[in-house]
Amino acid sequence: MLCSLPRPWAPSRSVLPSRMAGALKKHLETLSVFQWVLTFLFFGAFFTSLLLYLLFTRLWAVSVLYFVWWVIDRDTPERGGRRSDWMRRWRVWQHLCDYYPIKLVKTAALPPDRSYVLGSHPHGIICAGAFASFCTEGTGFSQCFPGLRPSLALLAGLFHLPMYREYMMSAGMCPVSRASLDFLLSRPGNAVVIVVGGAAESLNCAPGLHCVTLHRRTGFVRLALQHGAALVPVYSFGENEIFQQLIFPEGSWIRRLQLRFKDLTGFAPCLFWGRGLLPFPSPVTVVVGTPIPVPRRPFPTPEEVAHYHALYVAQLQQLFDQHKVSCGVPASCQLTVI
């Protein structure tokens, strides 16, 4: 009697679809990250070049109409933007979060009856944790913090790039300009996310390093005092692990060139790599800390700014120490604040 059992090397019918689904899922995750990295690096330059090129073709009217719209709509980024719920919930972002994976951890409630200034650390190379957590619903922000509207603040100059500005606004990003931040923080229920270390911090991002640029960064504290917005530290564990970077010594001519370029353009050129252009699939855990109540002081004194800045630094250190082991960081590792 012939045996009807499948051969040892032939998968059963129930196993084969499962494996195919798993392989498809991996491909979708990789493609979602790839499109985001390409967007991050080339979207603005591509559409700027394309619209300029079209001016010298039979399709010149397309560029003219867009630039007319661009002028009419120029103040929108500084007045809350134009976010799209569909864009934030796009299925691609769930695949992007699953690639690493990225997860959001809530440590305290953030009631939407007031505004907040969230300081995000570290910058990393491409702010993957901050983007996934605050510009998409891939990590479930609206379920963790119902009623709160997050806005990730970026270089104001990026919002002058055609088409790129529409993309950023649709995800809930805003310029890190005084007019934009004042508009948002004057309304309860808004949470402005500021990557405090900025481009300077990105030059010190590499696997195994936990170093944040914070000591002389007091502008975000002054902003919170002027609006009475609570300060909230945020740390993205694993952010520095997703890319390798060649870090040049302080004082070297290449380092000086990087800093000079940063001063001129607002961002620092980094020599980094992962799986080619793709980041390494290393877990990123974005931990949102406990809010620090801040009084409203339209004209805060230097002493008040220094006091709440010190409270913020201490809270960030405490947040790092409490969660580092559960997020895969050795217990002996310390957060360095420069």
Side-chain angles (χ1 to χ4, degrees):
M1 187 175 189
L2 294 175
C3 179
S4 61
L5 292 176
R7 295 178 181 180
W9 58 84
S12 67
R13 292 182 179 180
S14 61
V15 173
L16 188 57
S18 177
R19 289 181 179 177
M20 292 177 63
L24 177 60
K25 171 65 174 168
K26 288 295 182 184
H27 288 310
L28 290 174
E29 291 171 5
T30 301
L31 286 173
S32 68
V33 175
F34 188 61
Q35 67 82 25
W36 179 62
V37 172
L38 290 181
T39 299
F40 178 85
L41 294 176
F42 305 117
F43 193 100
F46 173 78
F47 275 100
T48 300
S49 302
L50 177 62
L51 289 172
L52 290 175
Y53 168 75
L54 291 179
L55 283 173
F56 302 96
T57 70
R58 289 178 296 178
L59 297 177
W60 59 269
V62 174
S63 295
V64 170
L65 288 173
Y66 179 80
F67 285 126
V68 169
W69 159 255
W70 185 36
V71 172
I72 294 173
D73 194 55
R74 63 186 180 276
D75 293 332
T76 299
E78 295 190 336
R79 299 189 62 79
R82 188 170 45 246
R83 71 179 59 212
S84 164
D85 190 59
W86 178 87
M87 178 66 168
R88 291 177 57 86
R89 297 179 183 276
W90 192 19
R91 180 62 179 170
V92 164
W93 304 133
Q94 185 61 62
H95 294 310
L96 179 142
C97 290
D98 292 342
Y99 171 86
Y100 295 91
I102 298 174
K103 68 177 182 178
L104 181 66
V105 174
K106 171 183 176 181
T107 63
L110 301 181
D113 59 351
R114 65 181 309 171
S115 57
Y116 299 87
V117 174
L118 277 63
S120 180
H121 314 269
H123 183 285
I125 299 297
I126 56 175
C127 300
F131 174 83
S133 298
F134 305 117
C135 298
T136 81
E137 286 297 327
T139 59
F141 182 91
S142 62
Q143 283 74 42
C144 288
F145 304 101
L148 203 61
R149 286 166 51 95
S151 298
L152 180 62
L154 302 180
L155 287 172
L158 294 175
F159 290 84
H160 296 151
L161 296 176
M163 298 304 294
Y164 198 28
R165 69 192 292 273
E166 321 298 341
Y167 175 86
M168 292 187 292
M169 286 193 293
S170 67
M173 303 181 212
C174 69
V176 64
S177 65
R178 186 56 189 264
S180 171
L181 301 181
D182 284 344
F183 181 90
L184 291 169
L185 293 175
S186 63
R187 292 158 172 77
N190 283 315
V192 172
V193 184
I194 301 175
V195 185
V196 179
E201 189 174 85
S202 67
L203 296 176
N204 294 317
C205 295
L209 295 182
H210 295 277
C211 177
V212 297
T213 303
L214 184 55
H215 272 319
R216 296 183 181 180
R217 305 296 175 104
T218 59
F220 73 105
V221 177
R222 183 176 293 104
L223 181 72
L225 281 163
Q226 290 170 338
H227 291 276
L231 285 165
V232 184
V234 178
Y235 198 87
S236 297
F237 291 91
E239 183 71 46
N240 288 349
E241 312 298 319
I242 64 176
F243 282 110
Q244 295 276 358
Q245 181 183 186
L246 182 58
I247 298 179
F248 299 99
E250 294 286 348
S252 65
W253 71 269
I254 299 182
R255 182 75 163 203
R256 291 197 301 270
L257 184 63
Q258 288 177 309
L259 293 173
R260 179 59 177 164
F261 192 88
K262 177 190 73 68
D263 293 338
L264 292 174
T265 65
F267 65 93
C270 301
L271 185 57
F272 65 92
W273 65 94
R275 296 166 60 184
L277 280 178
L278 290 175
F280 295 113
S282 180
V284 178
T285 304
V286 180
V287 183
V288 180
T290 303
I292 303 169
V294 173
R296 188 173 185 274
R297 298 284 189 270
F299 304 99
T301 65
E303 292 75 21
E304 288 175 320
V305 173
H307 171 71
Y308 283 98
H309 185 271
L311 286 180
Y312 179 88
V313 172
Q315 189 96 322
L316 178 63
Q317 291 271 13
Q318 183 180 9
L319 180 73
F320 180 85
D321 290 336
Q322 286 179 343
H323 295 273
K324 60 184 178 182
V325 174
S326 62
C327 294
V329 178
S332 59
C333 184
Q334 299 297 317
L335 179 65
T336 302
V337 180
I338 60 174

